[in-house]
Amino acid sequence: MSIWQPILPYNAVCCRYSEIGTKGRNRGDFVRHLNEGLKRRLDAIFGGVRFEEERGRVYMYPSQERLLTAEEVEALRREIPALPGIASVSPGWRCGRNDLAAVEDYIRKTFPVVYEAFAKAFPLEQRTYAMRVNRIDKNFPLRSQEMEMRFADWILSEHRDLKLDLKAPKLRIGVDLRPDGIFIDYERIQGAGGLPAGSGGRALALLSGGIDSPVACYEMIRRGTYVDFVTFHSSPYTPEAGLTKICDLARVLNGFQKRGRVVAVNLLPLQKAIRDTCEEKFRTIHYRRNMMRLASVVAEFFEDEALVTGDNLGQVASQTLTNMRVIEDACPMMILRPLLVYDKLGIIDVAQKIGTFDISQIQVPDSCTVFAPVGPSTHANLGAVRADEAKLDLAPLLKQCLEQTTIMSTLNYAAHSFTELLEAPLPM
């Protein structure tokens, strides 16, 4: 993101997509979801947004025709980088005219302002630029390269400290020449790429208060999935602050999609039975196996198609290949693990970008810390785990957990009963 860029008299925003462009006959549905996501994120900022679509582009304008304010441009720079489905965004100037005079008029008026800010931001040896002309309108009298050369003559003669760099310029001038008009910009705000939320089904994510699971949720949203959330607590052994933290994380994630529901399950009845009955080294695996069973009940009720976890291969004892296989054995649903091979620093980078990192850093005990084993098994034998689990009378224990399951409000943290789950069949 180019924070040195000045605020110019922009009248439009160009939103570019890339992967959506490969969708053939379904492209219209993906673009519709993209526009819905843009509207959710930016409607309040602009006081209403209207759209104009072209292949590979969505132009956005304030609902009432006017120039963009400085606050709106700053909000674009802040909000767009994490928005799913967007390749890049540029605030710029959109004109229905399609002639050379219109391009020259805008660039000659605005480039001196851009150059002044650019010269202050970059030392002499880094002052490089390039113009990129995208000539979709083949009737335009000059070809792309001829346009670029024409403006280079003027720019380089007026600003002798500038050098042309076609590979990696520090300053870029973008010109789109299309049959119905031109678009000119000086900056591209990088988007998250991927697919717009809601274009790829629904899933239920196991959301904890750590760094990883919120990022896993975001990565699924970025691949077009609407995500609901389920969290596990051990009240009264874990404080209410843990659920408040989960609601705060879900509220941030819901900024990238339509509102996902948050379900809180009290795992304590199972944990007590596992502590009193099963081998200590298998406790964490038993917890996780039954989390999957309970999550699948919630997912089936919501008609979600898969479960999502923040598993990261080898990070903790339950996330070895062996133990993940043992845990998955108890789950009747597909489990998606978008962070499986991520580097931890990469996960942290994403968490900071989407706004969940600081919330995740708040230290609150969670259900995984209750009755945690001293020496957890890292390579549990499936047969041994099944035999150990057979000591439990699982059905009534799962029912007890479901009896203490609630739906949370991310607005006021209120918990509402969710007794409908008691009629659902148990995955055994």
Side-chain angles (χ1 to χ4, degrees):
M1 184 168 61
S2 302
I3 58 173
W4 62 267
Q5 290 277 5
I7 305 298
L8 296 170
Y10 304 122
N11 67 357
V13 179
C14 178
C15 305
R16 304 175 190 87
Y17 55 81
S18 54
E19 190 171 348
I20 294 173
T22 67
K23 297 303 178 183
R25 294 180 180 178
N26 296 326
R27 186 185 302 115
D29 288 337
F30 285 90
V31 172
R32 177 176 56 81
H33 284 292
L34 179 67
N35 289 350
E36 288 174 356
L38 285 166
K39 188 174 178 64
R40 280 195 303 270
R41 197 75 173 177
L42 302 177
D43 219 2
I45 296 171
F46 284 89
V49 180
R50 59 188 175 90
F51 299 96
E52 182 181 315
E53 297 174 14
E54 289 187 10
R55 186 179 179 89
R57 305 281 191 276
V58 175
Y59 294 101
M60 226 170 35
Y61 310 87
S63 54
Q64 295 183 344
E65 189 172 338
R66 59 174 175 79
L67 298 179
L68 275 63
T69 67
E71 292 76 14
E72 289 168 344
V73 175
E74 291 297 343
L76 281 173
R77 292 171 176 169
R78 182 179 65 250
E79 298 289 337
I80 288 298
L83 191 64
I86 296 290
S88 67
V89 166
S90 296
W93 186 67
R94 176 96 161 134
C95 176
R97 291 168 55 193
N98 194 6
D99 55 60
L100 182 60
V103 179
E104 287 186 334
D105 181 58
Y106 183 78
I107 293 180
R108 287 184 181 274
K109 285 180 180 177
T110 58
F111 187 80
V113 180
V114 174
Y115 171 78
E116 183 180 0
F118 177 71
K120 291 178 180 178
F122 293 91
L124 187 62
E125 65 274 11
Q126 294 185 29
R127 292 177 192 169
T128 59
Y129 100 100
M131 175 181 273
R132 288 285 182 250
V133 176
N134 184 27
R135 181 173 171 264
I136 301 299
D137 182 7
K138 302 308 180 185
N139 293 320
F140 197 84
L142 296 179
R143 296 180 180 274
S144 296
Q145 189 173 10
E146 291 172 334
M147 282 278 288
E148 293 165 3
M149 292 173 62
R150 180 187 182 96
F151 281 95
D153 289 342
W154 171 70
I155 289 171
L156 294 175
S157 64
E158 292 287 323
H159 308 283
R160 296 187 178 278
D161 56 340
L162 272 179
K163 294 180 180 179
L164 189 64
D165 182 351
L166 299 179
K167 292 185 178 180
K170 297 295 183 182
L171 172 60
R172 177 194 161 282
I173 307 171
V175 179
D176 251 1
L177 304 173
R178 293 177 176 261
D180 60 348
I182 60 176
F183 183 82
I184 301 171
D185 68 88
Y186 291 105
E187 66 176 304
R188 289 200 175 193
I189 305 165
Q190 194 68 31
L195 299 173
S199 59
R202 303 195 66 102
L204 178 71
L206 280 70
L207 181 61
S208 74
I211 296 171
D212 296 353
S213 62
V215 175
C217 294
Y218 170 74
E219 293 293 9
M220 291 304 302
I221 294 170
R222 198 175 70 85
R223 294 308 305 166
T225 307
Y226 275 142
V227 177
D228 291 312
F229 312 98
V230 62
T231 192
F232 296 89
H233 62 97
S234 306
S235 180
Y237 287 80
T238 51
E240 288 188 14
L243 293 180
T244 301
K245 181 179 177 181
I246 293 298
C247 287
D248 289 339
L249 288 169
R251 188 166 58 249
V252 172
L253 293 166
N254 279 340
F256 303 108
Q257 62 167 9
K258 286 184 178 178
R259 185 176 63 87
R261 295 157 288 192
V262 183
V263 175
V265 182
N266 191 343
L267 197 64
L268 189 62
L270 267 163
Q271 288 179 297
K272 284 183 174 180
I274 290 167
R275 176 199 62 185
D276 297 339
T277 309
C278 300
E279 290 192 44
E280 181 182 358
K281 65 179 181 179
F282 293 150
R283 275 184 196 170
T284 301
I285 293 173
H286 287 315
Y287 294 168
R288 295 287 293 178
R289 280 169 65 90
N290 286 291
M291 285 179 180
M292 296 300 173
R293 289 187 172 107
L294 291 164
S296 67
V297 174
V298 177
E300 291 285 357
F301 184 85
F302 285 161
E303 297 184 344
D304 292 325
E305 300 173 69
L307 300 182
V308 178
T309 74
D311 290 343
N312 183 239
L313 187 58
Q315 186 173 145
V316 296
S318 64
Q319 294 174 16
T320 63
L321 278 179
T322 303
N323 284 358
M324 282 192 289
R325 174 177 172 267
V326 172
I327 292 166
E328 191 173 83
D329 169 73
C331 185
M333 300 192 73
M334 175 171 55
I335 301 176
L336 304 175
R337 301 180 175 95
L339 306 187
L340 194 65
V341 296
Y342 271 47
D343 181 270
K344 186 66 176 182
L345 293 179
I347 297 173
I348 291 172
D349 286 344
V350 177
Q352 291 173 331
K353 181 177 73 172
I354 65 176
T356 59
F357 181 77
D358 289 343
I359 302 173
S360 294
Q361 288 291 87
I362 299 171
Q363 297 301 308
V364 181
D366 60 22
S367 61
C368 292
T369 62
V370 176
F371 315 135
V374 176
S377 174
T378 57
H379 294 87
N381 177 272
L382 178 58
V385 170
R386 284 176 174 171
D388 197 43
E389 188 178 73
K391 302 172 187 175
L392 299 168
D393 189 4
L394 271 182
L397 291 169
L398 292 169
K399 284 289 187 184
Q400 287 181 50
C401 294
L402 292 174
E403 286 171 357
Q404 300 178 56
T405 295
T406 56
I407 293 183
M408 304 295 299
S409 167
T410 59
L411 298 178
N412 57 16
Y413 311 115
H416 307 278
S417 63
F418 198 12
T419 55
E420 295 94 330
L421 291 179
L422 295 175
E423 303 301 321
L426 295 175
M428 299 296 295

